[in-house]
């Protein structure tokens, strides 16, 4: 695994300018998934969680 290969893009929607950009990322070391949303100059990142509130793990 290279230095920049830790996070993998799972899903991308929108362009961030006329429509908010939504990206689901997966941490390849832990399997935890994150949601990143960017709209104009603002954005936010948060982990996705399961029904019990624990991190959503990508099951490979």
């Amino acid at each position: 695994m290279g230095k920049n290969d830790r996070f993998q893009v799972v899903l991308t929607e929108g362009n961030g300018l006329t429509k908010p950009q939504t990206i689901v990322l997966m941490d390849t070391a832990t399997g935890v998934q994150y949601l990143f949303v960017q709209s104009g100059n603002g954005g936010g990142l948060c982990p996705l969680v399961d029904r019990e509130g624990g991190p959503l793990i990508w099951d490979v």
Side-chain angles (χ1 to χ4, degrees):
M1 180 166 39
K3 191 173 188 174
N4 296 323
D5 293 337
R6 174 132 186 208
F7 292 94
Q8 180 179 17
V9 175
V10 176
L11 173 77
T12 302
E13 293 180 353
N15 61 16
L17 297 174
T18 60
K19 190 174 184 185
Q21 185 175 32
T22 304
I23 301 171
V24 176
L25 301 164
M26 180 192 59
D27 182 341
T28 58
T30 64
V32 175
Q33 296 178 58
Y34 297 89
L35 176 66
F36 175 72
V37 177
Q38 185 256 328
S39 182
N41 292 330
L45 177 75
C46 66
L48 295 175
V49 296
D50 60 18
R51 290 182 183 198
E52 289 78 37
L56 190 60
I57 307 293
W58 184 275
D59 204 14
V60 179

